[in-house]
Amino acid sequence: MRTERLLLLALLLLLVASLGAAGWFGLRLVQDRLANADIAALASGRDIPVDADARPALLLARLSFLATRDRFEEAQPLVNRIMATGDTPIVATALYDLANARLRAALSHLEINEIDPAVPLVRLAKEGYRRALGLDPGLWDAKYNLDIAMRLVRDFPQIETSGEDLPPEAAKRLWTDLPGVPQGLP
């Protein structure tokens, strides 16, 4: 009699645990479907607001939506939130996507000969590519795009001055920040 009660109690506890697990997995399934619907909406071009504690994949979709529309000021906090998640592949993809958007915007400025707004965008793109490569050294597209960005705006050592004017011979040795758009093979 006592063993039957213990067996019944164990089965009842197993049933409750199974129902709890099924409920938890059901909730996760609903959350995943809602997140996927939001990702699909963002990919189709609809502006969907995203919570600060959303999943990294949803944050990445929102980041891509904002970056393709040159809304960098709104996209940068999303990169910071994605980085806080610690999901290395998604963080590397987010850095790469934002760097690509900045490089595209810089190239748009260069096509119409607007050099001043292009230089900081290229520098930010290079920083993004370097950070993405730091997380995923095998990201070949980031290596290639970093090479293109490095050709657009070169990283030359700066001449240190202590507040005085440069002599004329030193001024002639300075390089410009933007040597020109590459026109083919090096």
Side-chain angles (χ1 to χ4, degrees), residues 123 154-161 170 173-177:
R123 286 192 175 140
R154 307 242 166 90
D155 292 331
F156 294 113
Q158 300 294 324
I159 295 178
E160 295 181 22
T161 61
R173 288 183 280 136
L174 292 178
W175 287 80
T176 61
D177 279 341

Side-chain angles (χ1 to χ4, degrees), residues 64 67-68 70 72 97 99-109 125 129:
S64 296
T68 56
D70 295 341
F72 303 125
D97 284 352
N100 275 347
R102 286 181 168 145
L103 188 59
R104 274 193 305 271
L107 289 173
S108 300
H109 286 294
Y129 291 134

Side-chain angles (χ1 to χ4, degrees), residues 110-186:
L110 290 175
E111 285 174 355
I112 56 175
N113 206 21
E114 291 179 350
I115 294 173
D116 291 337
V119 171
L121 287 171
V122 172
R123 286 192 175 140
L124 288 171
K126 288 192 307 187
E127 178 187 340
Y129 291 134
R130 285 183 182 125
R131 290 172 70 190
L133 286 169
L135 293 171
D136 184 4
L139 194 57
W140 189 87
D141 291 336
K143 290 178 188 179
Y144 181 81
N145 291 352
L146 176 61
D147 182 54
I148 289 174
M150 294 288 289
R151 292 173 190 228
L152 287 175
V153 176
R154 307 242 166 90
D155 292 331
F156 294 113
Q158 300 294 324
I159 295 178
E160 295 181 22
T161 61
S162 58
E164 64 225 28
D165 291 333
L166 291 176
E169 63 274 356
K172 290 179 184 175
R173 288 183 280 136
L174 292 178
W175 287 80
T176 61
D177 279 341
L178 189 67
V181 178
Q183 297 294 324
L185 294 175

